[in-house]
């Protein structure tokens, strides 16, 4: 299983672009409080979480409670988890650690080494399946290559195999060769960023990396015969075992960093996305296909998007870019510069409130527009920072995250959190001297506000107790 990560960019996208009423919300689980979570695996009602130093935790009640299930593990650093349940019997749970592979046949009650063949080796990923002949196949990715067994782990081949480079195997994914077929394709992703395919249980391999993308590819997962990979900034899929790779229909290739949803059109939610060097893309069919909609945009690097509902349900789409603000009143077909009063700043965050649209810039502070982006006025009184990469609004209260002008800037007031309770007219520092870290993102769950503080992790506080910030990083 692959690690599940939420970056500060993702938090920012959730804050500035998506209405809480439009999408299902994420809720923090009650633990496990055992370190960073590297891997998750589900088996029926059981959810296993592998941590980065404190072993494995199990929840059987939808993550309400967790218990440690690490008896017998040789290492507490869990790199991967895989559930193998070929029939109705109790499933086998495999755990890849930095000290080899361990297996449990009693829902994590105890663990034992799978084999001494790769004992002491780091195991980034592993898979198990039943092949067309009915044999149990186990493939283990290690730091020096991969090991393959076609007899339920009794005998192993590897770590070298024809057709694939020697080196760390980071990702393994299995998928049927065709719909309804018992033949299995195995996909492997290496640390150097290349992808490979095996159709014979790992005995031989063929390179299937998209020729135009070079290195840096990571396998994400599979759904039926579809296999997904990511070259860092977007998603590719293949339905023919890697012979051809495609993005979502019409999706431009580049760094995706913002997303917005508008009210439905003919039953479909209208979606917008943007990023570095790709301009703005729009989907009218819930993301099945995309088209560029950036006529009139001076620059192709867009960092933030917001949707404003006006009179008679008229929509205004606002985009923050390296050349300031652009607006569209025709669902993105055409755009015009709207920088009166905002001087074409680098706009990194947008927030829509009842009192107007707020724009956080890098270098010029905070601005507000009360006429759907037509004109802007400075709104930085009390923020004490010209660098505002994150904004948040809830029930009339606003928050602004600030960062340093330069990494070496010694001024403590240039970092932290600022709050306004009068619709952004005045701001007050509510950082409470919590190390004065730069704040790059916000997200809210219920009455709790979460913020991403750069390299210092995640902090949270109750909206009713603004100045009380507690670290979430010491799990």
């Amino acid at each position: 299983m692959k690690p599940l990560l939420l970056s500060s960019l993702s938090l920012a996208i959730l804050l500035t672009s998506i209405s809480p009423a439009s999408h299902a919300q994420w809720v923090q689980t009650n633990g496990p409080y055992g370190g960073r979570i590297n891997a998750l695996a589900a088996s029926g009602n059981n959810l296993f979480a592998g941590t980065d130093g404190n072993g494995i935790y199990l929840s059987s009640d939808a993550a309400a409670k967790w218990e440690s299930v690490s008896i017998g593990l040789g290492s507490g650093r869990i790199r991967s988890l895989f559930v193998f349940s070929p029939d109705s019997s109790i499933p086998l749970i495999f755990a890849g650690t930095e000290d080899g592979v361990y297996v449990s046949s009693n829902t994590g009650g105890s663990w034992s080494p799978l084999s001494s063949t790769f004992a002491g080796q780091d195991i980034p990923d592993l898979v198990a399946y039943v092949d067309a002949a009915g044999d149990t196949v186990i493939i283990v990715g290690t730091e020096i290559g991969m090991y393959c067994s076609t007899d339920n782990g009794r005998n192993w081949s590897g770590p070298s195999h024809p057709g694939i480079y020697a080196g760390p195997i980071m990702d393994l994914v299995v998928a049927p060769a065709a719909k309804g077929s018992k033949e299995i394709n195995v996909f492997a992703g290496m640390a150097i960023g290349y992808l490979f395919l095996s159709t014979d249980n790992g005995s031989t391999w063929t390179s299937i990396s998209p020729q135009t993308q070079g290195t840096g590819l990571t396998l994400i997962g599979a759904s039926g015969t579809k296999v997904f990979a990511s070259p860092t900034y977007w998603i590719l899929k293949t339905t023919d075992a890697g012979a051809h790779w495609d993005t979502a229909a019409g999706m431009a290739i580049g760094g995706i960093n913002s997303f917005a949803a508008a009210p439905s059109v003919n039953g479909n939610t209208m979606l917008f996305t943007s990023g570095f060097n790709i301009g703005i893309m729009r989907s009218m069919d819930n993301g099945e296909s995309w088209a560029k909609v950036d006529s009139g945009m001076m620059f192709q690097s867009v960092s933030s998007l917001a949707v404003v509902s006006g009179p008679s349900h008229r929509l205004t789409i606002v985009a923050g870019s390296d050349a300031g603000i652009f607006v569209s009143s025709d669902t993105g077909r055409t755009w015009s510069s709207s920088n009166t009063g905002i001087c074409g700043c680098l706009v990194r965050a947008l927030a829509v409130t009842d009192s107007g649209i707020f724009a956080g810039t890098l270098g010029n502070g905070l601005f507000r527009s009360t006429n759907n982006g037509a004109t802007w006025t400075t709104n930085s009184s009390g923020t004490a920072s010209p660098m505002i990469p994150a904004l948040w609004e809830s029930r009339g209260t606003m928050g602004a995250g600030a960062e340093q002008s330069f990494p070496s800037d010694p001024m403590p007031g240039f970092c932290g959190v600022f709050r306004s309770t009068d619709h952004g007219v005045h701001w007050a520092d509510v950082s409470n001297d919590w190390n004065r870290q730069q704040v790059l993102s916000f997200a809210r769950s219920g009455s709790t506000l979460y913020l991403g503080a750069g390299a210092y992790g995640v902090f949270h506080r109750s909206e009713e107790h603004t100045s009380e910030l507690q670290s979430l990083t010491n799990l």
Side-chain angles (χ1 to χ4, degrees):
M1 295 290 290
K2 308 299 181 293
L4 301 182
L5 305 177
L6 183 63
S7 68
S8 61
L9 170 62
S10 301
L11 290 173
I13 292 172
L14 287 172
L15 167 72
T16 61
S17 304
I18 302 178
S19 166
S22 301
H23 296 264
Q25 301 295 298
W26 288 88
V27 178
Q28 184 183 17
T29 65
N30 183 30
Y33 302 105
R36 186 176 69 184
I37 307 301
N38 283 341
L40 292 171
S43 174
N45 293 326
N46 296 318
L47 177 64
F48 296 86
T51 71
D52 198 47
N54 290 281
I56 298 173
Y57 288 79
L58 166 67
S59 175
S60 302
D61 54 7
K65 297 186 297 292
W66 295 84
E67 62 175 318
S68 177
V69 287
S70 302
I71 295 176
L73 289 175
S75 170
R77 186 169 185 245
I78 310 302
R79 301 278 275 124
S80 50
L81 291 170
F82 191 88
V83 175
F84 179 56
S85 51
D87 49 44
S88 58
S89 61
I90 297 176
L92 296 178
I93 315 299
F94 294 94
T97 76
E98 63 178 1
D99 185 37
V101 179
Y102 290 79
V103 61
S104 173
S105 58
N106 56 2
T107 321
S110 60
W111 300 83
S112 58
L114 176 63
S115 172
S116 61
T117 303
F118 28 76
Q121 294 190 41
D122 191 28
I123 312 295
D125 210 355
L126 59 102
V127 293
Y129 60 92
V130 176
D131 67 5
D135 296 322
T136 297
V137 179
I138 307 173
I139 301 180
V140 176
T142 77
E143 57 194 359
I144 61 172
M146 74 176 70
Y147 294 86
C148 304
S149 172
T150 57
D151 56 7
N152 203 24
R154 287 185 290 273
N155 297 284
W156 296 86
S157 63
S160 299
H161 298 274
I164 191 169
Y165 303 124
I169 305 298
M170 305 304 294
D171 311 294
L172 289 166
V173 169
V174 295
K179 186 176 181 179
S181 173
K182 293 184 178 181
E183 299 289 340
I184 299 296
N185 289 336
V186 184
F187 299 82
M190 298 192 67
I192 57 176
Y194 289 108
L195 306 184
F196 294 84
L197 165 70
S198 176
T199 59
D200 55 9
N201 296 332
S203 296
T204 61
W205 296 83
T206 303
S207 175
I208 58 168
S209 297
Q211 296 300 311
T212 58
Q213 307 304 335
T215 61
L217 289 157
T218 300
L219 281 170
I220 298 176
S223 176
T225 59
K226 295 180 181 178
V227 177
F228 299 88
S230 171
T232 304
Y233 291 123
W234 65 99
I235 295 176
L236 299 171
K237 73 175 185 296
T238 179
T239 58
D240 54 11
H244 302 89
W245 292 88
D246 300 301
T247 61
M251 174 63 75
I253 294 175
I256 303 297
N257 61 10
S258 55
F259 183 87
S264 61
V265 176
N266 298 326
N268 290 322
T269 299
M270 185 163 47
L271 305 175
F272 294 87
T273 189
S274 64
F276 295 115
N277 299 318
I278 70 166
I280 298 175
M281 309 289 297
R282 183 187 66 187
S283 173
M284 305 289 283
D285 53 10
N286 295 325
E288 290 295 323
S289 61
W290 297 81
K292 283 179 69 67
V293 287
D294 51 20
S295 176
M297 296 286 292
M298 295 171 56
F299 290 86
Q300 294 293 292
S301 292
V302 178
S303 303
S304 49
L305 291 168
V307 177
V308 184
S309 296
S312 302
H313 304 287
R314 183 179 181 182
L315 295 178
T316 298
I317 317 299
V318 183
S321 76
D322 287 359
I325 298 289
F326 289 80
V327 298
S328 172
S329 57
D330 55 8
T331 64
R333 285 189 291 272
T334 60
W335 297 80
S336 60
S337 175
S338 186
N339 289 309
T340 301
I342 201 171
C343 66
C345 307
L346 276 70
V347 178
R348 284 294 180 266
L350 291 169
V352 179
T353 75
D354 292 339
S355 60
I357 309 169
F358 289 80
T361 73
L362 296 188
N364 294 87
L366 189 64
F367 292 81
R368 181 176 68 164
S369 173
T370 57
N371 52 10
N372 286 354
T375 60
W376 298 83
T377 56
T378 184
N379 221 102
S380 300
S381 177
T383 57
S385 175
M387 311 286 283
I388 308 294
L391 291 170
W392 153 77
E393 189 275 337
S394 175
R395 296 191 288 270
T397 299
M398 291 195 65
E403 63 174 332
Q404 290 175 324
S405 297
F406 304 99
S408 60
D409 196 325
M411 297 181 65
F414 275 32
C415 290
V417 182
F418 301 89
R419 183 185 69 162
S420 173
T421 56
D422 57 4
H423 305 289
V425 177
H426 300 93
W427 296 81
D429 185 353
V430 293
S431 304
N432 202 28
D433 288 326
W434 52 285
N435 295 325
R436 291 289 185 182
Q437 304 307 331
Q438 59 182 356
V439 176
L440 303 178
S441 56
F442 286 110
R444 184 171 61 87
S445 176
S447 62
T448 301
L449 175 68
Y450 298 85
L451 58 86
Y456 290 86
V458 180
F459 290 74
H460 73 100
R461 65 143 175 87
S462 168
E463 289 183 354
E464 286 74 26
H465 300 87
T466 308
S467 62
E468 297 176 4
L469 289 164
Q470 303 172 356
S471 173
L472 286 180
T473 55
N474 298 320
L475 298 181

